[in-house]
Amino acid sequence: MKRRIRVVQQILQEKGYYSGSIDGIAGPLTMQGLARIDGIDSRLPKTRQITTFIQMEANERGIDAGPVDGLWGPRTNAAFDELVYRIENGEPSPVWRPDEIEVKNPNRWPLQRTSEFHELYGERGKRQTMLDFPYPMRLSWDLRVRCRRTQCHEKVYDSLGRILQNVKEIYGERSIRELHLDHFGGCLNVRRVRGGGSSWSMHSWGIALDFDTRRNQLGWGRKRAALAHPDYNDWWKCWEEEGWISLGRKRNFDWMHVQAARLPE
Ligand SMILES: [Zn+2]
């Protein structure tokens, strides 16, 4: 909320309607500034006025925020991210072209949820083996807990070992820690996909891993997810050289997640 208010204050200031500090607090000066904008109903709750203003500003700049209703939904959220990008960079954000991220498939990972997939990986939770991490990891949701190894499917064992060894060589242990590449969010987990789907998660076979879960939450897009930052280009290269698929890089959600299975185009 503070971030939204700060953006509102900044825009109001540019328009000459606000002279207070950019502090993210919707105090009387901020609300007085908003009251001077046509189309803002001062009788509405503060949050609704702020959202209305953001929607109006986005639409005015050609960013589709949907109907101006003062309600914060995914569309408003996406428009807000773009609005912030333009304010910070003075230009629209580069177009997202996941198709241009070419991922070869040297290990011939199967397309997820096909007969070829089930043939290779077999039953959920079976044929697991232990892989020793080449550098120490910690549990993403409880950093006091060290993880020296993980279970994974025997078919991905060699590839996973090569990837993590590469990561270690490229980044070194210090950068690994600084970039949270040692924040391990788990591998094998026999469960359905998150978000209420009925199909089985790729984690059910021990062929998917999550990293830095706190800073790469499921619904976050590339403007928010840490692993979308260019600092991680080499990280992704390590995975993609081995044909692993990042949901973030391909679908722009669940940036924490990487899997040894292809996605339908
Ligand atoms: Zn995952």
Side-chain angles (χ1 to χ4, degrees):
M1 196 60 206
K2 270 199 140 176
R3 191 162 159 251
R4 294 177 203 169
I5 297 166
R6 271 202 301 271
V7 167
V8 168
Q9 288 171 331
Q10 211 172 325
I11 298 172
L12 286 174
Q13 197 179 57
E14 282 165 21
K15 290 181 187 289
Y17 293 159
Y18 180 68
S19 54
S21 56
I22 309 293
D23 57 6
I25 297 162
L29 278 180
T30 307
M31 300 320 290
Q32 279 164 27
L34 274 176
R36 295 175 63 180
I37 303 290
D38 271 344
I40 304 270
D41 184 346
S42 302
R43 294 163 303 183
L44 289 172
K46 277 185 185 181
T47 50
R48 194 120 183 224
Q49 292 183 49
I50 285 156
T51 304
T52 303
F53 183 61
I54 288 168
Q55 290 169 333
M56 284 168 41
E57 277 300 310
N59 284 336
E60 213 164 275
R61 294 167 201 226
I63 307 165
D64 180 18
V68 177
D69 55 8
L71 302 174
W72 198 273
R75 213 159 153 195
T76 305
N77 199 51
F80 177 67
D81 281 349
E82 179 64 22
L83 182 63
V84 170
Y85 188 95
R86 290 192 193 187
I87 290 170
E88 284 171 359
N89 299 280
E91 56 181 82
S93 65
V95 182
W96 176 246
R97 291 194 186 88
D99 299 343
E100 287 182 7
I101 300 166
E102 200 200 329
V103 184
K104 297 200 181 70
N105 197 6
N107 298 304
R108 306 179 65 91
W109 303 131
L111 190 62
Q112 65 177 26
R113 305 189 179 97
T114 55
S115 54
E116 182 202 3
F117 175 94
H118 292 289
E119 217 164 278
L120 181 71
Y121 291 134
E123 252 182 89
R124 290 183 295 273
K126 295 285 159 61
R127 297 167 65 189
Q128 301 294 304
T129 182
M130 283 309 245
L131 176 104
D132 289 319
F133 291 133
Y135 50 88
M137 301 251 197
R138 300 181 285 161
L139 263 194
S140 194
W141 56 88
D142 186 353
L143 296 171
R144 292 166 303 182
V145 182
R146 290 182 155 267
C147 324
R148 302 205 172 275
R149 38 200 230 145
T150 182
Q151 264 186 322
C152 68
H153 197 284
E154 58 187 28
K155 291 282 186 192
V156 306
Y157 174 90
D158 287 340
S159 173
L160 182 56
R162 285 192 297 267
I163 291 165
L164 295 176
Q165 188 58 45
N166 254 339
V167 168
K168 182 181 177 179
E169 277 159 29
I170 289 170
Y171 284 95
E173 294 206 24
R174 188 172 161 187
S175 295
I176 283 175
R177 280 194 304 276
E178 281 169 3
L179 292 171
H180 297 196
L181 294 178
D182 60 341
H183 289 206
F184 181 54
C187 178
L188 177 71
N189 189 357
V190 181
R191 59 165 172 81
R192 309 270 181 180
V193 291
R194 278 175 307 206
S198 63
S199 48
W200 293 94
S201 159
M202 291 295 114
H203 289 281
S204 306
W205 288 269
I207 60 152
L209 295 91
D210 294 330
F211 293 93
D212 198 3
T213 56
R214 197 174 48 82
R215 298 194 307 157
N216 296 280
Q217 293 180 24
L218 185 63
W220 290 7
R222 72 201 154 98
K223 302 214 180 75
R224 230 175 145 188
L227 282 165
H229 191 273
D231 281 349
Y232 298 93
N233 285 351
D234 285 332
W235 162 261
W236 291 122
K237 211 193 273 173
C238 290
W239 292 97
E240 288 168 0
E241 271 170 10
E242 289 278 338
W244 291 60
I245 297 292
S246 151
L247 283 181
R249 299 256 291 174
K250 281 290 181 190
R251 296 284 195 264
N252 198 24
F253 72 97
D254 204 3
W255 277 88
M256 69 178 86
H257 176 101
V258 64
Q259 64 180 48
R262 315 289 285 189
L263 299 170
E265 289 304 326

